[in-house]
Amino acid sequence: MKITGKLIIIGGAVDKGSFTETDLDKNSASNLNFFETGILKRIISESKHKENSRIEVVTTASNIPKEIGPEYVKAFSYLDAKNIDVLYIEKREEAADPAVLTRLKAADIVIFTGGDQLRLTSILGGTPFHDILLDKYHNEEFVYAGTSAGAAAASNSMIYQGSSSEALLKGEVKITSGLGLIDGVTIDTHFVRRGRIGRLFQTVVSNPRVLGIGLGEDTGLLITNNNEMEAIGSGLVILVDGRDIKDTNLTQVELGQPISINNLVVHVMSMNDTYNIGTHKMQIHTS
């Protein structure tokens, strides 16, 4: 099935990349340069009406939504976006509010902020808001953008808990259902700084058909037709492919014991590199 919408998933930020996660005054040069040339600018340029696109910021994952929402409005406004607002959805019943659904139907871009991805899926999952979101993504020139929790929740299979340091002990990584915009992948964020590669290893070895995607800070993926991925932003994307795993002790060891994996394949993408999920082929841009 052809997917008309676009998916932009973002790993989070360290020193730049989101007005919500940095001190704008102290790091203004980094922030402004990033927004001028980086991921938020790309979100606007990929949308149907560019700077005139209707943008809704969804802060459901955050525990400080009233602080985060206005910062996104400020960031998009700096990039000449003309039509931005914040949807504060904090309870399930609000995800069925006719006024909220009307705004979602009119949106060209919806960006989901960081926070707790389990909060995002438990509040929005299975609601009229979720149904409309999926329909727009499948059938309209629509951009779903998510940073951190908003990125992790985009896939059908979602990591919601797991210690980085103990991620290769059996049972340490907890997985549940996400919002289901894209199947066949699992997405992890803040990947490089928080050393989360072990979380993807355990996720992939438990179902080698699933492609593990690790998004570094200030880094994202533009996914079109749920198939073609392009790395955007300044950092790294790590892909973990388990289709050629030769052996693992996953089913033999007890909970809490280390996992062994033989022949796990890892790819590293940087800006403008592409990867086709269907063919499993990566193209390095400079070559």
Side-chain angles (χ1 to χ4, degrees), residues 80-107:
D80 297 323
K82 309 290 193 299
N83 195 5
I84 320 137
D85 209 343
V86 183
L87 272 171
Y88 296 106
I89 304 171
E90 299 180 30
K91 299 177 182 177
R92 279 186 66 83
E93 55 262 35
E94 294 170 348
D97 184 323
V100 169
L101 300 182
T102 297
R103 286 173 57 180
L104 175 61
K105 289 175 182 177

Short mmCIF file of all heavy atoms in Angstrom, two decimals, residues 80-107:
data_model
loop_
_atom_site.label_atom_id
_atom_site.label_comp_id
_atom_site.label_asym_id
_atom_site.label_seq_id
_atom_site.Cartn_x
_atom_site.Cartn_y
_atom_site.Cartn_z
N ASP A 80 10.14 31.31 9.90
CA ASP A 80 9.14 31.94 9.03
C ASP A 80 7.86 31.13 8.84
O ASP A 80 7.08 31.41 7.93
CB ASP A 80 9.73 32.28 7.65
CG ASP A 80 10.86 33.29 7.75
OD1 ASP A 80 10.76 34.20 8.60
OD2 ASP A 80 11.84 33.15 7.00
N ALA A 81 7.64 30.11 9.69
CA ALA A 81 6.35 29.42 9.65
C ALA A 81 5.27 30.39 10.14
O ALA A 81 5.48 31.14 11.10
CB ALA A 81 6.38 28.18 10.52
N LYS A 82 4.12 30.37 9.47
CA LYS A 82 3.10 31.39 9.71
C LYS A 82 1.90 30.91 10.53
O LYS A 82 1.10 31.72 10.96
CB LYS A 82 2.57 31.90 8.34
CG LYS A 82 3.62 32.33 7.34
CD LYS A 82 4.30 33.62 7.77
CE LYS A 82 5.11 34.24 6.63
NZ LYS A 82 6.20 33.38 6.14
N ASN A 83 1.76 29.60 10.72
CA ASN A 83 0.49 29.07 11.20
C ASN A 83 0.74 27.93 12.19
O ASN A 83 0.59 26.76 11.86
CB ASN A 83 -0.33 28.59 9.99
CG ASN A 83 -1.78 28.37 10.32
OD1 ASN A 83 -2.23 28.64 11.42
ND2 ASN A 83 -2.51 27.84 9.35
N ILE A 84 1.13 28.28 13.42
CA ILE A 84 1.56 27.28 14.41
C ILE A 84 0.70 27.40 15.66
O ILE A 84 0.36 28.51 16.09
CB ILE A 84 3.03 27.51 14.83
CG1 ILE A 84 3.89 27.88 13.65
CG2 ILE A 84 3.58 26.30 15.55
CD1 ILE A 84 4.84 28.99 13.94
N ASP A 85 0.37 26.27 16.25
CA ASP A 85 -0.34 26.28 17.53
C ASP A 85 0.03 25.02 18.29
O ASP A 85 0.67 24.11 17.76
CB ASP A 85 -1.86 26.36 17.30
CG ASP A 85 -2.57 27.05 18.47
OD1 ASP A 85 -1.96 27.17 19.55
OD2 ASP A 85 -3.72 27.45 18.29
N VAL A 86 -0.39 24.96 19.56
CA VAL A 86 -0.07 23.84 20.44
C VAL A 86 -1.36 23.13 20.83
O VAL A 86 -2.33 23.78 21.26
CB VAL A 86 0.68 24.30 21.70
CG1 VAL A 86 1.07 23.09 22.55
CG2 VAL A 86 1.92 25.11 21.33
N LEU A 87 -1.37 21.81 20.69
CA LEU A 87 -2.48 20.99 21.16
C LEU A 87 -2.09 20.37 22.50
O LEU A 87 -1.20 19.51 22.56
CB LEU A 87 -2.79 19.88 20.15
CG LEU A 87 -3.78 20.21 19.04
CD1 LEU A 87 -3.81 19.07 18.01
CD2 LEU A 87 -5.17 20.45 19.59
N TYR A 88 -2.73 20.82 23.56
CA TYR A 88 -2.46 20.27 24.89
C TYR A 88 -3.47 19.15 25.15
O TYR A 88 -4.63 19.40 25.49
CB TYR A 88 -2.59 21.36 25.95
CG TYR A 88 -1.58 22.46 25.82
CD1 TYR A 88 -1.94 23.72 25.35
CD2 TYR A 88 -0.25 22.25 26.17
CE1 TYR A 88 -1.00 24.74 25.23
CE2 TYR A 88 0.70 23.26 26.06
CZ TYR A 88 0.31 24.50 25.59
OH TYR A 88 1.25 25.51 25.48
N ILE A 89 -3.04 17.91 24.99
CA ILE A 89 -3.89 16.74 25.24
C ILE A 89 -3.28 15.97 26.40
O ILE A 89 -2.24 15.34 26.25
CB ILE A 89 -3.99 15.85 23.98
CG1 ILE A 89 -4.48 16.67 22.78
CG2 ILE A 89 -4.92 14.67 24.24
CD1 ILE A 89 -4.40 15.91 21.47
N GLU A 90 -3.91 16.03 27.55
CA GLU A 90 -3.35 15.41 28.74
C GLU A 90 -4.21 14.28 29.29
O GLU A 90 -3.78 13.57 30.21
CB GLU A 90 -3.15 16.49 29.82
CG GLU A 90 -2.18 17.58 29.36
CD GLU A 90 -1.96 18.66 30.41
OE1 GLU A 90 -2.04 18.34 31.61
OE2 GLU A 90 -1.71 19.81 30.03
N LYS A 91 -5.40 14.07 28.75
CA LYS A 91 -6.29 13.00 29.17
C LYS A 91 -6.90 12.35 27.93
O LYS A 91 -7.08 13.00 26.91
CB LYS A 91 -7.41 13.54 30.07
CG LYS A 91 -6.91 14.19 31.35
CD LYS A 91 -8.07 14.76 32.15
CE LYS A 91 -7.58 15.46 33.41
NZ LYS A 91 -8.69 16.08 34.16
N ARG A 92 -7.28 11.06 28.06
CA ARG A 92 -7.81 10.34 26.91
C ARG A 92 -9.06 10.99 26.34
O ARG A 92 -9.26 11.04 25.14
CB ARG A 92 -8.10 8.88 27.28
CG ARG A 92 -6.85 8.00 27.27
CD ARG A 92 -7.20 6.54 27.49
NE ARG A 92 -7.97 5.96 26.41
CZ ARG A 92 -7.47 5.48 25.28
NH1 ARG A 92 -6.15 5.53 25.07
NH2 ARG A 92 -8.24 4.95 24.36
N GLU A 93 -9.92 11.49 27.22
CA GLU A 93 -11.16 12.08 26.71
C GLU A 93 -10.90 13.31 25.84
O GLU A 93 -11.69 13.62 24.94
CB GLU A 93 -12.12 12.44 27.87
CG GLU A 93 -11.52 13.33 28.94
CD GLU A 93 -11.04 12.55 30.14
OE1 GLU A 93 -10.54 11.41 29.96
OE2 GLU A 93 -11.15 13.08 31.28
N GLU A 94 -9.78 13.99 26.08
CA GLU A 94 -9.44 15.15 25.26
C GLU A 94 -9.07 14.75 23.84
O GLU A 94 -9.16 15.55 22.91
CB GLU A 94 -8.31 15.94 25.91
CG GLU A 94 -8.71 16.57 27.24
CD GLU A 94 -7.53 17.14 28.01
OE1 GLU A 94 -6.36 16.86 27.63
OE2 GLU A 94 -7.78 17.87 28.98
N ALA A 95 -8.66 13.48 23.65
CA ALA A 95 -8.31 12.98 22.32
C ALA A 95 -9.55 12.62 21.50
O ALA A 95 -9.42 12.15 20.37
CB ALA A 95 -7.40 11.77 22.44
N ALA A 96 -10.74 12.84 22.09
CA ALA A 96 -11.99 12.67 21.35
C ALA A 96 -12.77 13.97 21.27
O ALA A 96 -13.89 13.98 20.74
CB ALA A 96 -12.85 11.59 22.02
N ASP A 97 -12.20 15.05 21.76
CA ASP A 97 -12.87 16.35 21.75
C ASP A 97 -13.03 16.82 20.29
O ASP A 97 -12.06 16.89 19.54
CB ASP A 97 -12.01 17.34 22.53
CG ASP A 97 -12.65 18.71 22.67
OD1 ASP A 97 -13.31 19.17 21.72
OD2 ASP A 97 -12.48 19.33 23.74
N PRO A 98 -14.26 17.16 19.87
CA PRO A 98 -14.48 17.58 18.48
C PRO A 98 -13.61 18.76 18.06
O PRO A 98 -13.15 18.80 16.90
CB PRO A 98 -15.97 17.95 18.46
CG PRO A 98 -16.59 17.13 19.54
CD PRO A 98 -15.54 17.05 20.62
N ALA A 99 -13.33 19.69 18.98
CA ALA A 99 -12.50 20.84 18.61
C ALA A 99 -11.06 20.40 18.33
O ALA A 99 -10.41 20.90 17.40
CB ALA A 99 -12.52 21.88 19.73
N VAL A 100 -10.57 19.46 19.13
CA VAL A 100 -9.22 18.93 18.93
C VAL A 100 -9.14 18.18 17.60
O VAL A 100 -8.20 18.35 16.82
CB VAL A 100 -8.82 18.00 20.10
CG1 VAL A 100 -7.55 17.23 19.77
CG2 VAL A 100 -8.63 18.80 21.38
N LEU A 101 -10.15 17.37 17.31
CA LEU A 101 -10.15 16.58 16.08
C LEU A 101 -10.25 17.47 14.85
O LEU A 101 -9.63 17.18 13.82
CB LEU A 101 -11.29 15.57 16.11
CG LEU A 101 -11.26 14.57 17.28
CD1 LEU A 101 -12.42 13.59 17.16
CD2 LEU A 101 -9.93 13.83 17.35
N THR A 102 -10.99 18.55 14.95
CA THR A 102 -11.09 19.50 13.84
C THR A 102 -9.73 20.12 13.53
O THR A 102 -9.33 20.27 12.37
CB THR A 102 -12.11 20.60 14.16
OG1 THR A 102 -13.40 20.00 14.31
CG2 THR A 102 -12.17 21.65 13.05
N ARG A 103 -9.00 20.48 14.58
CA ARG A 103 -7.66 21.04 14.39
C ARG A 103 -6.70 20.02 13.77
O ARG A 103 -5.91 20.34 12.89
CB ARG A 103 -7.12 21.57 15.71
CG ARG A 103 -7.78 22.87 16.13
CD ARG A 103 -7.35 23.30 17.52
NE ARG A 103 -5.92 23.45 17.65
CZ ARG A 103 -5.32 23.83 18.79
NH1 ARG A 103 -6.06 24.10 19.87
NH2 ARG A 103 -4.01 23.95 18.84
N LEU A 104 -6.80 18.77 14.22
CA LEU A 104 -5.94 17.73 13.65
C LEU A 104 -6.25 17.52 12.17
O LEU A 104 -5.33 17.41 11.35
CB LEU A 104 -6.14 16.41 14.41
CG LEU A 104 -5.39 15.20 13.85
CD1 LEU A 104 -3.88 15.43 13.85
CD2 LEU A 104 -5.75 13.94 14.63
N LYS A 105 -7.52 17.50 11.81
CA LYS A 105 -7.90 17.30 10.41
C LYS A 105 -7.35 18.40 9.51
O LYS A 105 -7.04 18.17 8.34
CB LYS A 105 -9.42 17.23 10.29
CG LYS A 105 -10.02 15.96 10.87
CD LYS A 105 -11.55 16.01 10.83
CE LYS A 105 -12.16 14.77 11.45
NZ LYS A 105 -13.65 14.83 11.50
N ALA A 106 -7.22 19.61 10.07
CA ALA A 106 -6.74 20.75 9.27
C ALA A 106 -5.22 20.85 9.21
O ALA A 106 -4.67 21.64 8.44
CB ALA A 106 -7.30 22.05 9.85
N ALA A 107 -4.51 20.04 10.01
CA ALA A 107 -3.05 20.17 10.12
C ALA A 107 -2.33 19.58 8.91
O ALA A 107 -2.72 18.52 8.39
CB ALA A 107 -2.56 19.49 11.39
#
